[in-house]
Amino acid sequence: MDDKKAKNDELVQIARLALAGRPQDVQTYIRRLARRYQGELPEVAAQLMALLQQGPTRQSPLRREAQAAAPVPVDLESRLQLLRIEETPTLETEPIWEEGVRRALDQIISERQRDEELFKKGLSPTRSILFTGPPGVGKTLAARWLARELHRPLLTLDLSAVMSSFLGRTGANVRHVLDYAKSVTGVLLLDELDAIAKRRDDITDVGELKRLVTVLLQEIDDWPPTGLLIAATNHADLLDPAVWRRFEMQVEFPLPTEASVHKAIETFLGTSTTPEVWNNVLAITLRGLSYSDIERELMQARRASVTRNIPIEDALSQVVQNRVDPLPRRERGQIALWLTEAGISQRQVHELTGVSRDTIRKKTRSRASGGHKGE
């Protein structure tokens, strides 16, 4: 009797979702049923999965019409669009990933390319991912890269930008965005997740914000497998613990390693032809910065080279001079030696690094006589 009641409840739930005009939720529910009946009724489960695979895709006329009919959500008061939409995401330069990040992103692509194999096994591709890490390490870039590789539009919602003193309006805005994103086969990026998904025991929170977090968690749980939801935060420590559990994959973006700093320098210096010694010098002086900070420093140097009509090496010297003081004495000495070997006068090297000319001469003689590098 209980089994019969459960099946009746399932039929009623599917009917309720269909009549409410929520096709994505219908698909999600059918996929759950297929997994549930895989052991008990394998033929039924197979038929359900086959129906899902035959459903409208983003390339079909039906899907295109549905997307065209759905208006982009706007703030009810300002009438400004809540989403930033990139129909065909592009990248100015190819990203540099640490190995762990690269593995995770490649897995996402592989799952989407082989989704039919997953569906046949009662599985679905990863639907939700949490990107964490300090600013400028490539979280937003990774979302854009995934959208490009998957040939999907990128929809970005900056949660800190939609926060309002009137939280009821913030809640309505977020719900409108999530409903719209569910209807589009794209990649949704929720940027600055910590703006609303803070710990719910925060004494400064109010009931409306806590309810908003609860709604967000439910949406993450029910996100359709046809879409991909990515949330990013610079402050993982502020997130409600329940948020971590909701995401199927978590990817931490670290600061660049030494090897990655070298690659970033080669990438951002572009067509500038500089001796290898400058790559080594910059790798020390720019260590500990994010990719975006490294790019900013080097792009400023390239602009200065053009606008002041000076060699790129002179512009890079200014970058070194601005950042060399906090470095340990040994590393400043190594930089001084490299710059001297690059043909820069000892007086200039002293001005750039603060290393005395007497010390520079000693290091140069030591190198020439076969002494240890950097001593």
PDB file of all heavy atoms in Angstrom, residues 273-287:
ATOM      1  N   THR A 273      60.305  41.723 -26.763  1.00  0.00           N
ATOM      2  CA  THR A 273      61.466  40.825 -26.752  1.00  0.00           C
ATOM      3  C   THR A 273      62.417  41.283 -25.660  1.00  0.00           C
ATOM      4  O   THR A 273      63.083  42.310 -25.778  1.00  0.00           O
ATOM      5  CB  THR A 273      62.176  40.846 -28.120  1.00  0.00           C
ATOM      6  OG1 THR A 273      62.503  42.206 -28.446  1.00  0.00           O
ATOM      7  CG2 THR A 273      61.271  40.273 -29.204  1.00  0.00           C
ATOM      8  N   THR A 274      62.456  40.565 -24.585  1.00  0.00           N
ATOM      9  CA  THR A 274      63.332  40.894 -23.461  1.00  0.00           C
ATOM     10  C   THR A 274      64.247  39.721 -23.179  1.00  0.00           C
ATOM     11  O   THR A 274      63.855  38.559 -23.328  1.00  0.00           O
ATOM     12  CB  THR A 274      62.511  41.208 -22.201  1.00  0.00           C
ATOM     13  OG1 THR A 274      61.646  40.093 -21.935  1.00  0.00           O
ATOM     14  CG2 THR A 274      61.664  42.452 -22.399  1.00  0.00           C
ATOM     15  N   PRO A 275      65.470  39.979 -22.737  1.00  0.00           N
ATOM     16  CA  PRO A 275      66.384  38.878 -22.390  1.00  0.00           C
ATOM     17  C   PRO A 275      65.795  38.000 -21.290  1.00  0.00           C
ATOM     18  O   PRO A 275      64.997  38.463 -20.473  1.00  0.00           O
ATOM     19  CB  PRO A 275      67.640  39.617 -21.912  1.00  0.00           C
ATOM     20  CG  PRO A 275      67.544  40.995 -22.495  1.00  0.00           C
ATOM     21  CD  PRO A 275      66.081  41.295 -22.564  1.00  0.00           C
ATOM     22  N   GLU A 276      66.195  36.751 -21.250  1.00  0.00           N
ATOM     23  CA  GLU A 276      65.695  35.797 -20.264  1.00  0.00           C
ATOM     24  C   GLU A 276      65.953  36.281 -18.840  1.00  0.00           C
ATOM     25  O   GLU A 276      65.179  35.981 -17.922  1.00  0.00           O
ATOM     26  CB  GLU A 276      66.364  34.441 -20.475  1.00  0.00           C
ATOM     27  CG  GLU A 276      65.979  33.357 -19.476  1.00  0.00           C
ATOM     28  CD  GLU A 276      64.502  32.994 -19.543  1.00  0.00           C
ATOM     29  OE1 GLU A 276      63.872  33.246 -20.604  1.00  0.00           O
ATOM     30  OE2 GLU A 276      63.975  32.483 -18.547  1.00  0.00           O
ATOM     31  N   VAL A 277      67.013  37.068 -18.658  1.00  0.00           N
ATOM     32  CA  VAL A 277      67.347  37.530 -17.313  1.00  0.00           C
ATOM     33  C   VAL A 277      66.189  38.326 -16.706  1.00  0.00           C
ATOM     34  O   VAL A 277      65.925  38.254 -15.507  1.00  0.00           O
ATOM     35  CB  VAL A 277      68.637  38.387 -17.329  1.00  0.00           C
ATOM     36  CG1 VAL A 277      68.440  39.669 -18.143  1.00  0.00           C
ATOM     37  CG2 VAL A 277      69.068  38.731 -15.919  1.00  0.00           C
ATOM     38  N   TRP A 278      65.438  39.052 -17.541  1.00  0.00           N
ATOM     39  CA  TRP A 278      64.332  39.842 -17.015  1.00  0.00           C
ATOM     40  C   TRP A 278      63.195  38.958 -16.523  1.00  0.00           C
ATOM     41  O   TRP A 278      62.506  39.297 -15.559  1.00  0.00           O
ATOM     42  CB  TRP A 278      63.826  40.827 -18.076  1.00  0.00           C
ATOM     43  CG  TRP A 278      64.694  42.033 -18.137  1.00  0.00           C
ATOM     44  CD1 TRP A 278      65.643  42.333 -19.056  1.00  0.00           C
ATOM     45  CD2 TRP A 278      64.726  43.098 -17.178  1.00  0.00           C
ATOM     46  NE1 TRP A 278      66.258  43.514 -18.744  1.00  0.00           N
ATOM     47  CE2 TRP A 278      65.710  44.015 -17.603  1.00  0.00           C
ATOM     48  CE3 TRP A 278      64.009  43.380 -16.015  1.00  0.00           C
ATOM     49  CZ2 TRP A 278      65.998  45.180 -16.893  1.00  0.00           C
ATOM     50  CZ3 TRP A 278      64.297  44.537 -15.310  1.00  0.00           C
ATOM     51  CH2 TRP A 278      65.277  45.426 -15.750  1.00  0.00           C
ATOM     52  N   ASN A 279      63.013  37.825 -17.177  1.00  0.00           N
ATOM     53  CA  ASN A 279      62.000  36.885 -16.696  1.00  0.00           C
ATOM     54  C   ASN A 279      62.365  36.407 -15.294  1.00  0.00           C
ATOM     55  O   ASN A 279      61.517  36.338 -14.399  1.00  0.00           O
ATOM     56  CB  ASN A 279      61.894  35.691 -17.660  1.00  0.00           C
ATOM     57  CG  ASN A 279      60.652  34.846 -17.398  1.00  0.00           C
ATOM     58  OD1 ASN A 279      60.368  34.501 -16.271  1.00  0.00           O
ATOM     59  ND2 ASN A 279      59.940  34.504 -18.463  1.00  0.00           N
ATOM     60  N   ASN A 280      63.649  36.090 -15.079  1.00  0.00           N
ATOM     61  CA  ASN A 280      64.106  35.625 -13.764  1.00  0.00           C
ATOM     62  C   ASN A 280      63.969  36.715 -12.705  1.00  0.00           C
ATOM     63  O   ASN A 280      63.515  36.463 -11.584  1.00  0.00           O
ATOM     64  CB  ASN A 280      65.564  35.165 -13.852  1.00  0.00           C
ATOM     65  CG  ASN A 280      65.733  33.944 -14.735  1.00  0.00           C
ATOM     66  OD1 ASN A 280      64.839  33.111 -14.831  1.00  0.00           O
ATOM     67  ND2 ASN A 280      66.874  33.830 -15.406  1.00  0.00           N
ATOM     68  N   VAL A 281      64.353  37.935 -13.071  1.00  0.00           N
ATOM     69  CA  VAL A 281      64.272  39.051 -12.131  1.00  0.00           C
ATOM     70  C   VAL A 281      62.827  39.333 -11.747  1.00  0.00           C
ATOM     71  O   VAL A 281      62.483  39.482 -10.574  1.00  0.00           O
ATOM     72  CB  VAL A 281      64.924  40.311 -12.742  1.00  0.00           C
ATOM     73  CG1 VAL A 281      64.598  41.544 -11.896  1.00  0.00           C
ATOM     74  CG2 VAL A 281      66.429  40.130 -12.852  1.00  0.00           C
ATOM     75  N   LEU A 282      61.968  39.387 -12.744  1.00  0.00           N
ATOM     76  CA  LEU A 282      60.559  39.680 -12.485  1.00  0.00           C
ATOM     77  C   LEU A 282      59.882  38.556 -11.704  1.00  0.00           C
ATOM     78  O   LEU A 282      58.976  38.807 -10.903  1.00  0.00           O
ATOM     79  CB  LEU A 282      59.824  39.916 -13.809  1.00  0.00           C
ATOM     80  CG  LEU A 282      60.216  41.199 -14.545  1.00  0.00           C
ATOM     81  CD1 LEU A 282      59.662  41.171 -15.973  1.00  0.00           C
ATOM     82  CD2 LEU A 282      59.712  42.428 -13.800  1.00  0.00           C
ATOM     83  N   ALA A 283      60.297  37.317 -11.950  1.00  0.00           N
ATOM     84  CA  ALA A 283      59.699  36.187 -11.233  1.00  0.00           C
ATOM     85  C   ALA A 283      59.918  36.309  -9.732  1.00  0.00           C
ATOM     86  O   ALA A 283      59.073  35.883  -8.932  1.00  0.00           O
ATOM     87  CB  ALA A 283      60.275  34.873 -11.749  1.00  0.00           C
ATOM     88  N   ILE A 284      61.045  36.905  -9.331  1.00  0.00           N
ATOM     89  CA  ILE A 284      61.299  37.122  -7.909  1.00  0.00           C
ATOM     90  C   ILE A 284      60.511  38.322  -7.390  1.00  0.00           C
ATOM     91  O   ILE A 284      59.852  38.262  -6.351  1.00  0.00           O
ATOM     92  CB  ILE A 284      62.804  37.325  -7.647  1.00  0.00           C
ATOM     93  CG1 ILE A 284      63.576  36.023  -7.898  1.00  0.00           C
ATOM     94  CG2 ILE A 284      63.050  37.797  -6.216  1.00  0.00           C
ATOM     95  CD1 ILE A 284      65.077  36.133  -7.687  1.00  0.00           C
ATOM     96  N   THR A 285      60.551  39.413  -8.132  1.00  0.00           N
ATOM     97  CA  THR A 285      59.919  40.643  -7.643  1.00  0.00           C
ATOM     98  C   THR A 285      58.390  40.566  -7.662  1.00  0.00           C
ATOM     99  O   THR A 285      57.729  41.262  -6.885  1.00  0.00           O
ATOM    100  CB  THR A 285      60.378  41.854  -8.470  1.00  0.00           C
ATOM    101  OG1 THR A 285      60.112  41.615  -9.860  1.00  0.00           O
ATOM    102  CG2 THR A 285      61.862  42.093  -8.286  1.00  0.00           C
ATOM    103  N   LEU A 286      57.826  39.738  -8.544  1.00  0.00           N
ATOM    104  CA  LEU A 286      56.366  39.636  -8.646  1.00  0.00           C
ATOM    105  C   LEU A 286      55.802  38.423  -7.909  1.00  0.00           C
ATOM    106  O   LEU A 286      54.596  38.180  -7.945  1.00  0.00           O
ATOM    107  CB  LEU A 286      55.944  39.579 -10.114  1.00  0.00           C
ATOM    108  CG  LEU A 286      56.329  40.789 -10.972  1.00  0.00           C
ATOM    109  CD1 LEU A 286      55.905  40.576 -12.418  1.00  0.00           C
ATOM    110  CD2 LEU A 286      55.713  42.066 -10.410  1.00  0.00           C
ATOM    111  N   ARG A 287      56.663  37.686  -7.247  1.00  0.00           N
ATOM    112  CA  ARG A 287      56.214  36.500  -6.520  1.00  0.00           C
ATOM    113  C   ARG A 287      55.255  36.904  -5.405  1.00  0.00           C
ATOM    114  O   ARG A 287      55.438  37.910  -4.727  1.00  0.00           O
ATOM    115  CB  ARG A 287      57.420  35.778  -5.917  1.00  0.00           C
ATOM    116  CG  ARG A 287      57.082  34.441  -5.252  1.00  0.00           C
ATOM    117  CD  ARG A 287      58.356  33.774  -4.764  1.00  0.00           C
ATOM    118  NE  ARG A 287      59.073  34.666  -3.860  1.00  0.00           N
ATOM    119  CZ  ARG A 287      60.377  34.615  -3.652  1.00  0.00           C
ATOM    120  NH1 ARG A 287      61.132  33.759  -4.314  1.00  0.00           N
ATOM    121  NH2 ARG A 287      60.958  35.447  -2.801  1.00  0.00           N
TER     122      ARG A 287
END
